[in-house]
Amino acid sequence: MKGTMIGLEVHVQLSTDSKLFCSCPTKGSDAEPNTRVCEICLGMPGSKPVLNKKAVDFALKVALALNCELNTEFFFSRKTYFYPDLAKDFQITQYEVPVGKNGFAEVDGKKIRLRRIHLEEDPASLVHESGARKSAYSLVDYNRSGIPLIELVTEPDMQSPAEARRFLDTLLTTLNYLGVYAHGASVLKVDCNLSIDGGSRVEVKNVTGFRAVEAALGAEEKRQRSVVDSGKKIEMETRGFDEASQSTYLMRKKETEEDYGYITEPDLPKVVVDSKWLSSVKAGMPELADSKKKRFMREFGLSEYDASVLASDKGLAQVFEETAKADAKIAARLVSRELAGILNYNRVKLGETKVNGKGISELVLLVKGSKVSDKNAKESLIKYVLEGISPKEFLEKNNLLIDVSSSDLEGIVKETVKENSSAFSEYKSGNEKSLNFIIGLVMRKTKGKANPKQVQEILGRLR
Ligand code: ADP
Ligand code: ZN
Ligand code: MG
């Protein structure tokens, strides 16, 4: 069997206010280490976990959005291991019966199957003051211990690092629509499994960030290829990714799941999601990217490209919908092409800017009324993104609105024609360049405040 197979195990921190099994807050980035803790998330003897229903709601939403079969009855298990990031020496997770199974996500028209989605608690973070491999000691911060995670496990359906990256993009879009993920506050952590030509799979553990996932997979694919090319066999093992050298390194030969000695968590009752609970979760499901895209095409006549750019970002989609009333075609162009491009280019997220539907609507109306040139419209969007000045305000302040009255303009055109009679006669004999030359002169005289289309119209009348 030729080619690359990739399967991912993705860990996502859910944006609940409190932790999975206690009422400690999950947020407050300025909190000192080990201040958002209690006897439960510190694993003190005698403490008992209490399940956060909100986290289950979130996991159910994700499972529904990713087309999973739901298990409406499930329980938790203890995954035992000895490591200081878990004070109890076990992690509460799900093993036999996850919240959801057999789902899929559609990536560029292809189905990437999801084996399971389950809930578990995040371990503490270890702080190595001078890097993981050089520090003489490690500090443990239990603020993160007990924050709810979902783990999503895909089938090995991806065939390239780039496709894996697109899968993660699609996943993130869905999580953002659902509002279950603290965008920016946390990062996705991914275990990346890769094999080539039907060989053993290697797992690259704990890669954080999308770009790093793509790079780790790319490096591992290259390494395996060179091992195979030298006539050796790939061994099943667990590796790490080193950002600095952009290469993977051996951590350990792969342990099997049985080594963790899963047992049922006796301190938590079985969870039963009854039909009332389930319908309230379903009722809270928002319109997701794919149906939004189709609706934008149907309702506003957008091209598939524009519709998918807009729908792939909850914020852009919202800005577009708020401005579509002014003029759907112009709004689609300004938002999906200009605005999205400016955000991309400057690597800023819509949520970090002051851009909103009202500001864009004003610009759409100005463009619609031919009150602004395309160039200045774009300039005003850049200022809007980077400096937060609304386009209308920027254009007004800088005198960039087209506001020469038609009678004034007619006079200026006539004057220009008189001063440039040879260019005008060339234009009359059909010379396109002379036309543009005269329009350019008029635009200069009016300091760019005339509408070039109107100038051309007047010239047409004069010939
Ligand atoms: P384990 O149970 O040992 O963790 P699984 O078979 O459950 O192993 O798979 C774990 C992850 O590895 C899944 O994301 C799966 O898609 C991926 N995977 C399984 N087989 C392969 C393979 N041959 N190549 C690449 N990835 C694989
Ligand atoms: Zn706690
Ligand atoms: Mg696994």
Side-chain angles (χ1 to χ4, degrees), residues 18 22 133 135 154 193 251 289 313 321 329 363 376 419:
S18 53
C22 61
R133 291 198 264 175
S135 295
T154 77
N193 299 274
M251 286 167 72
D313 185 301
E321 284 220 81
K329 282 265 149 59
L363 181 61
N376 287 333
E419 290 161 6

Side-chain angles (χ1 to χ4, degrees), residues 98-170:
V99 172
K101 59 176 191 244
N102 301 333
F104 64 87
E106 220 170 286
V107 179
D108 301 332
K110 174 179 156 184
K111 278 184 182 158
I112 307 295
R113 290 169 301 158
L114 290 163
R115 188 180 292 176
R116 56 185 280 142
I117 296 178
H118 71 249
L119 266 170
E120 63 186 30
E121 57 179 337
D122 208 354
S125 41
L126 292 188
V127 183
H128 316 282
E129 301 275 74
S130 40
R133 291 198 264 175
K134 281 202 211 102
S135 295
Y137 59 89
S138 298
L139 302 169
V140 192
D141 179 2
Y142 286 96
N143 282 352
R144 200 180 71 191
S145 181
I147 289 183
L149 297 178
I150 45 169
E151 178 176 341
L152 300 100
V153 182
T154 77
E155 294 295 339
D157 288 348
M158 288 153 278
Q159 290 165 302
S160 70
E163 190 178 22
R165 165 92 182 250
R166 288 197 297 278
F167 166 77
L168 291 176
D169 285 336
T170 306

Side-chain angles (χ1 to χ4, degrees), residues 56-271:
V56 180
D57 284 346
F58 281 10
L60 289 168
K61 278 190 178 179
V62 177
L64 283 170
L66 296 172
N67 313 293
C68 287
E69 296 164 26
L70 297 182
N71 285 313
T72 50
E73 291 191 13
F74 52 79
F75 55 91
F76 288 89
S77 297
R78 296 178 172 184
K79 176 181 181 176
T80 304
Y81 64 89
F82 178 73
Y83 202 60
D85 66 356
L86 271 167
K88 304 188 292 293
D89 287 342
F90 60 81
Q91 178 190 32
I92 303 178
T93 179
Q94 294 189 284
Y95 187 52
E96 292 89 343
V97 185
V99 172
K101 59 176 191 244
N102 301 333
F104 64 87
E106 220 170 286
V107 179
D108 301 332
K110 174 179 156 184
K111 278 184 182 158
I112 307 295
R113 290 169 301 158
L114 290 163
R115 188 180 292 176
R116 56 185 280 142
I117 296 178
H118 71 249
L119 266 170
E120 63 186 30
E121 57 179 337
D122 208 354
S125 41
L126 292 188
V127 183
H128 316 282
E129 301 275 74
S130 40
R133 291 198 264 175
K134 281 202 211 102
S135 295
Y137 59 89
S138 298
L139 302 169
V140 192
D141 179 2
Y142 286 96
N143 282 352
R144 200 180 71 191
S145 181
I147 289 183
L149 297 178
I150 45 169
E151 178 176 341
L152 300 100
V153 182
T154 77
E155 294 295 339
D157 288 348
M158 288 153 278
Q159 290 165 302
S160 70
E163 190 178 22
R165 165 92 182 250
R166 288 197 297 278
F167 166 77
L168 291 176
D169 285 336
T170 306
L171 177 62
L172 189 64
T173 297
T174 304
L175 295 172
N176 283 332
Y177 268 110
L178 295 173
V180 299
Y181 175 66
H183 197 86
S186 61
V187 265
L188 300 187
K189 248 194 225 136
V190 187
D191 299 337
C192 309
N193 299 274
L194 184 141
S195 65
I196 60 167
D197 303 346
S200 298
R201 77 179 164 91
V202 168
E203 178 170 1
V204 186
K205 266 245 173 281
N206 261 334
V207 185
T208 44
F210 289 14
R211 218 171 314 153
V213 167
E214 191 176 0
L217 284 165
E220 181 54 22
E221 188 179 41
K222 225 166 104 189
R223 184 191 70 86
Q224 291 191 20
R225 181 60 63 200
S226 76
V227 170
V228 169
D229 284 350
S230 69
K232 288 190 274 237
K233 260 207 150 90
I234 297 296
E235 297 205 44
M236 185 150 170
E237 61 194 28
T238 302
R239 301 179 71 87
F241 178 60
D242 180 49
E243 285 264 7
S245 62
Q246 296 280 298
S247 61
T248 66
Y249 58 89
L250 179 66
M251 286 167 72
R252 56 180 180 265
K253 302 285 168 188
K254 170 86 181 162
E255 73 273 25
T256 58
E257 288 289 356
E258 289 78 66
D259 290 346
Y260 291 118
Y262 285 94
I263 58 163
T264 305
E265 167 60 65
D267 287 339
L268 283 165
K270 185 172 79 175
V271 180

Side-chain angles (χ1 to χ4, degrees), residues 19 21-25 36-42 142 145-146:
K19 292 185 178 178
F21 300 118
C22 61
S23 55
C24 290
R36 282 177 276 145
V37 291
C38 70
E39 65 278 9
I40 295 173
C41 54
L42 285 175
Y142 286 96
S145 181

Side-chain angles (χ1 to χ4, degrees), residues 350-411:
L350 187 69
E352 299 161 2
T353 71
K354 292 203 170 135
V355 174
N356 59 40
K358 182 169 171 284
I360 302 287
S361 290
E362 288 172 353
L363 181 61
V364 169
L365 288 174
L366 290 174
V367 171
K368 191 178 183 183
S370 301
K371 292 280 190 214
V372 60
S373 69
D374 287 348
K375 184 171 154 288
N376 287 333
K378 180 165 183 185
E379 189 62 32
S380 74
L381 273 177
I382 294 173
K383 288 281 188 266
Y384 198 16
V385 168
L386 297 181
E387 293 167 31
I389 311 166
S390 86
K392 187 156 181 246
E393 192 187 336
F394 170 79
L395 294 166
E396 276 169 354
K397 266 197 181 147
N398 292 282
N399 262 324
L400 295 173
L401 287 175
I402 294 167
D403 65 352
V404 180
S405 77
S406 19
S407 57
D408 289 353
L409 187 60
E410 182 131 4

Side-chain angles (χ1 to χ4, degrees), residues 177 292 295-296 310-311 313-325 335 350 356-358 361:
Y177 268 110
K292 207 178 272 283
R295 181 168 64 79
F296 282 177
L310 292 170
D313 185 301
K314 189 180 175 183
L316 283 184
Q318 195 184 334
V319 167
F320 166 71
E321 284 220 81
E322 285 171 25
T323 55
K325 282 171 245 108
V335 178
L350 187 69
N356 59 40
K358 182 169 171 284
S361 290

